[in-house]
Amino acid sequence: MHLLNLGILAHVDAGKTSLTERLLHSAGVIDEIGSVDAGNTQTDSLALERRRGITIKSAVVSFALDDVTVNLIDTPGHPDFIAEVERVLGVLDGAVLVVSAVEGVQPQTRVLMRTLQRLRIPTLVFVNKIDRRGARYDAVLRAVSERLTAAVVPMGTADALGTRDARFVPGLAPSALDVLADHDDELLTAYIEDTVSRGALRAALADQSRQALVHPVYFGSAVTGAGVEALIDGIKELLPAADGDAEEPVSGTVFKVERGPAGEKVAYARMFSGTLRTRDRIRFGAAGEMGGAGELGDSRAQGEFGDSRAQGDPGDSRAEGRITAISVFEQGTDMRGDAVAAGRIAKLWGLADIRIGDTIGEPRKSYGHFFAPPTLETIVAPSDGVDRRALHRALTRLAEQDPLIDLRHDEVRQETFVSLYGEVQKEVIQATLADDFGLDVTFRETTPLCIERPVGSGGAVEFNKKDGNPFLATVGLRVEPAPAGSGVEFRLEVELGSMPYAFFKAVEDTVRETLGQGLHGWQVPDCRVTMTHSGYSPRQSHAHQGFDKSMSSTGYDFRGVTPLVLIEALRRAGTQVYEPLHRFRIEAPTDTLAALLPVFARLRAVPQTTETRGASCVLEGSVPAAHVHELEQQLPGLTRGEGELEGAFDHYAPAPRGTRPQRRRTDLNPLNRKEYLLNLTRRVGA
């Protein structure tokens, strides 16, 4: 028996959760198929999911298909919860992409397929709802080929579409040979010589599907069960088994974190190698690597003065914990066990500091981001009588489950900012706080999340106890621009051995944290920071006395002076504010173009290409993230309800001339030296 970790992905309302229910029923895990409308499905377990009829959190369920054990992960379909999908992609062996036979290929379908192809995840396409009125075969198959991938292999035909008698008739179409021969020279030769056997054709189909070179397409209905058996055969035959050696060193990846009944953290992990057992002590996190003489490794700094998890080897910022319990997914649920081996998915207890994306055991390739980060931000405003500290704790819990929420807390004004993908996510956060924590909140206006980039090069230095520097530390920094998307690079122009490593680490961690708020309050994501000066006061004390902090440098000194130096260097370099722009694709009736163009101008949307296709036209261009929601709201009225909008974050562009968006600071404000030192003194005193 082999394992398969399978993801079910789709645009919202394509029938993804209903298909999950049908698969569980076909496998004998459940006796009765649940309904999204009735709120009794297996994977939508949250009360909010049942009430709203949408998937918000990914869920894992296991079942057997003959000799294949499938760990199926149901993911959200709404674009506001794309972060939940992102975390699942890194642990999949294969995927089923669900498309509606009525609505066809939709914006989120394209976003998902592009990512699946980029990651080379073997994918089957299931066109659902063939029993619904308006279901189409040829038009949807053509749209899949044109808008998703040309390498599609229809696995059969559909009859009686739009009725309860709709059915799927398995059988490879003649066009399948054309698609498969493009990737197989031997098959192409046999095709030309007319000697292709059915066995060779099926073998080529299986091989190319497992390499994500082609994508088999099935039609059916999750409600009636039509086509589902054929899909199950495809899952068993055309998707690759999970690999990994149970005898190798332990290595896994955490893709979900939740809280148990007692408030303890529970980590969902995919094991890629080795065998993890209860009572094992295991390292987890992201391992930094020591660079050469002039470079320090990556940091996982969190909080004001660095990551409290950092310990042990100075080049390794991982933590260590003991596994207290393990649950392995089997027979439709998770069952307690003593161990979890390579290839499997398990729930782990005992790792109090675990975070989503962490590596367990041997470090693997760093956990990447496949989708764009949130481009919107709002303030959570508690209603009268709501304890602000309780609200902050609750939001921190939510951020554990969704790191891209990215909390910012203003201690002076006692306000908390959260990052968002869209308005639906805001509604879900509001409902979750009310249902799970009993906290009634509202939200301020949603604003775009801009960034800052250095314009030139600038440097600054503070010398140990000189010129008003109250810290026992010398720090000099130079800031320079870096290519977009390159991240923050921290380098040394001083000898690594010129002072204790912990002081260099304190400077680097504080640099990365301080760059979260530039001269105008926005994150500075792309720059090179070089440490040009260093110095410290060696450990010393008065005669016959113990260690005296007033005479010896500590990490506090370096964490305290670094923001002043860095902000001054940024001030001398200068920064430019960039706003997020989304690319859009609008398909609408041609005769509505005249009504659309003035709205584009008002929203600063810039059409870059326009293509006419008979009675419809396709416009592609860019629009500021701040105006995407308004464009979504106005499009139906401007296009008689026929307009389709597809959009996603594309890039950052300089803010319009004459405007320089400001973001309210939530740090100690190193822009104002006197205020910064006063705030720091108060915080230390507190």
Side-chain angles (χ1 to χ4, degrees):
M1 177 172 284
H2 70 255
L3 292 167
L4 170 65
N5 296 299
L6 178 71
I8 303 287
L9 297 87
H11 185 98
V12 66
D13 289 336
K16 170 177 48 59
T17 300
S18 298
L19 177 59
T20 300
E21 290 289 307
R22 174 61 66 174
L23 291 173
L24 293 175
H25 182 266
S26 298
V29 173
I30 56 176
D31 296 326
E32 186 175 341
I33 296 176
S35 165
V36 173
D37 294 334
N40 59 354
T41 59
Q42 291 288 305
T43 52
D44 285 346
S45 57
L46 297 178
L48 184 57
E49 291 177 315
R50 297 180 184 275
R51 190 164 65 244
R52 294 183 68 100
I54 61 173
T55 301
I56 297 170
K57 295 294 180 184
S58 59
V60 183
V61 65
S62 179
F63 55 90
L65 298 176
D66 295 333
D67 64 341
V68 180
T69 297
V70 178
N71 290 324
L72 187 147
I73 308 177
D74 185 17
T75 61
H78 198 284
D80 279 14
F81 308 106
I82 197 67
E84 194 74 22
V85 179
E86 173 181 83
R87 294 188 282 274
V88 168
L89 292 178
V91 304
L92 296 182
D93 303 307
V96 174
L97 182 64
V98 184
V99 179
S100 168
V102 179
E103 288 83 10
V105 174
Q106 295 178 282
Q108 186 75 347
T109 320
R110 297 187 69 190
V111 171
L112 292 168
M113 190 58 164
R114 280 198 299 266
T115 307
L116 289 165
Q117 289 177 310
R118 188 165 69 248
L119 298 175
R120 299 193 65 80
I121 296 175
T123 303
L124 309 181
V125 178
F126 183 74
V127 182
N128 191 27
K129 301 185 180 181
I130 64 171
D131 59 317
R132 297 285 183 89
R133 181 179 300 177
R136 301 161 294 155
Y137 179 85
D138 291 333
V140 173
L141 192 58
R142 185 168 56 251
V144 169
S145 178
E146 292 176 353
R147 301 183 65 186
L148 295 183
T149 172
V152 297
V153 179
M155 299 300 291
T157 58
D159 291 338
L161 272 72
T163 71
R164 293 287 294 183
D165 297 324
R167 64 193 184 101
F168 179 69
V169 182
L172 284 176
S175 61
L177 187 54
D178 296 332
V179 176
L180 294 170
D182 283 344
H183 305 284
D184 189 327
D185 291 341
E186 291 184 8
L187 190 66
L188 178 60
T189 301
Y191 177 30
I192 294 172
E193 296 174 353
D194 197 22
T195 59
V196 178
S197 67
R198 179 172 178 79
L201 196 62
R202 296 292 300 189
L205 175 62
D207 181 61
Q208 294 185 31
S209 297
R210 289 169 185 160
Q211 296 183 61
L213 297 174
V214 301
H215 303 285
V217 180
Y218 299 83
F219 281 72
S221 168
V223 172
T224 68
V228 174
E229 286 302 318
L231 175 65
I232 288 174
D233 289 340
I235 291 172
K236 293 187 296 184
E237 299 170 10
L238 305 179
L239 294 179
D243 58 3
D245 189 339
E247 302 303 320
E248 291 184 357
V250 170
S251 182
T253 297
V254 174
F255 64 92
K256 178 178 178 177
V257 174
E258 64 183 18
R259 291 275 180 170
E264 75 281 13
K265 278 189 179 180
V266 183
Y268 287 67
R270 157 74 190 268
M271 301 308 298
F272 288 96
S273 65
T275 300
L276 186 62
R277 297 177 173 83
T278 53
R279 294 181 294 279
D280 280 356
R281 289 198 68 84
I282 195 76
R283 295 191 70 79
F284 60 90
E289 296 181 1
M290 281 296 295
E295 186 172 358
L296 287 176
D298 182 37
S299 162
R300 288 173 58 98
Q302 296 290 323
E304 185 193 1
F305 289 146
D307 190 344
S308 63
R309 304 191 323 175
Q311 54 180 294
D313 179 355
D316 187 346
S317 63
R318 294 177 297 163
E320 187 174 285
R322 186 184 298 277
I323 302 297
T324 58
I326 296 174
S327 280
V328 180
F329 287 90
E330 289 181 358
Q331 301 175 11
T333 185
D334 57 294
M335 305 172 65
R336 284 298 174 100
D338 295 326
V340 54
R344 302 195 76 94
I345 289 176
K347 294 165 68 174
L348 308 176
W349 281 260
L351 307 179
D353 294 324
I354 198 76
R355 295 201 293 252
I356 289 171
D358 276 355
T359 290
I360 295 175
E362 291 297 308
R364 293 178 54 79
K365 181 180 178 182
S366 61
Y367 189 83
H369 292 303
F370 312 128
F371 301 102
T375 56
L376 302 172
E377 185 178 65
T378 188
I379 296 175
V380 184
S383 300
D384 292 341
V386 171
D387 186 333
R388 291 180 181 272
R389 288 173 297 181
L391 174 59
H392 186 65
R393 286 195 299 269
L395 288 170
T396 301
R397 286 281 187 93
L398 295 184
E400 289 175 356
Q401 301 169 21
D402 186 354
L404 293 180
I405 284 179
D406 191 25
L407 296 182
R408 289 197 311 130
H409 186 62
D410 184 341
E411 292 188 3
V412 176
R413 299 175 181 85
Q414 289 295 297
E415 292 178 337
T416 301
F417 299 73
V418 296
S419 302
L420 298 168
Y421 277 101
E423 297 298 316
V424 172
Q425 187 182 12
K426 183 193 291 185
E427 296 169 13
V428 167
I429 292 174
Q430 184 179 36
T432 302
L433 289 172
D435 294 349
D436 296 354
F437 300 95
L439 301 174
D440 185 22
V441 302
T442 57
F443 292 90
R444 307 272 175 83
E445 180 185 3
T446 302
T447 57
L449 273 171
C450 300
I451 64 169
E452 294 181 51
R453 289 193 175 124
V455 175
S457 176
V461 61
E462 292 271 353
F463 290 100
N464 189 341
K465 291 299 256 184
K466 291 182 179 179
D467 302 322
N469 175 14
F471 302 102
L472 290 172
T474 293
V475 174
L477 298 171
R478 183 174 66 249
V479 178
E480 301 167 289
S486 62
V488 175
E489 180 185 4
F490 183 81
R491 299 187 64 85
L492 301 181
E493 276 187 2
V494 295
E495 289 295 330
L496 187 58
S498 62
M499 64 181 187
Y501 174 86
F503 294 161
F504 286 112
K505 189 69 166 62
V507 172
E508 182 188 4
D509 287 353
T510 309
V511 161
R512 294 181 184 278
E513 182 193 350
T514 304
L515 289 173
Q517 299 182 73
L519 301 181
H520 306 287
W522 305 104
Q523 182 184 11
V524 185
D526 303 310
C527 64
R528 182 181 301 108
V529 180
T530 304
M531 190 169 183
T532 58
H533 297 73
S534 66
Y536 74 109
S537 296
R539 184 183 180 95
Q540 53 187 294
S541 62
H542 293 289
H544 311 297
Q545 293 182 355
F547 173 59
D548 188 345
K549 289 184 180 180
S550 67
M551 302 173 63
S552 312
S553 297
T554 65
Y556 163 82
D557 292 294
F558 287 90
R559 291 189 293 264
V561 75
T562 296
L564 291 173
V565 178
L566 182 59
I567 288 296
E568 182 58 30
L570 273 177
R571 201 194 312 261
R572 294 176 183 180
T575 64
Q576 167 74 52
V577 177
Y578 287 68
E579 65 175 351
L581 264 64
H582 284 222
R583 64 178 179 275
F584 69 81
R585 181 184 185 277
I586 292 178
E587 188 167 349
T590 304
D591 60 359
T592 64
L593 188 58
L596 284 170
L597 293 179
V599 176
F600 284 169
R602 183 171 59 81
L603 300 180
R604 292 198 287 122
V606 180
Q608 292 160 345
T609 63
T610 305
E611 179 184 352
T612 301
R613 299 177 179 175
S616 66
C617 63
V618 177
L619 298 91
E620 296 186 2
S622 61
V623 58
H627 301 309
V628 170
H629 185 58
E630 187 175 352
L631 182 59
E632 290 174 337
Q633 289 181 314
Q634 296 207 20
L635 186 65
L638 296 169
T639 60
R640 302 188 298 274
E642 299 179 45
E644 289 185 10
L645 172 64
E646 176 184 332
F649 169 79
D650 188 60
H651 67 284
Y652 290 95
R657 187 179 299 274
T659 66
R660 184 175 286 174
Q662 299 286 325
R663 186 191 198 193
R664 202 162 68 211
R665 305 192 72 87
T666 57
D667 59 8
L668 303 182
N669 192 22
L671 286 171
N672 185 318
R673 185 185 187 92
K674 183 177 180 181
E675 180 182 337
Y676 172 80
L677 294 174
L678 181 61
N679 286 334
L680 184 60
T681 302
R682 286 174 176 169
R683 174 167 293 183
V684 172

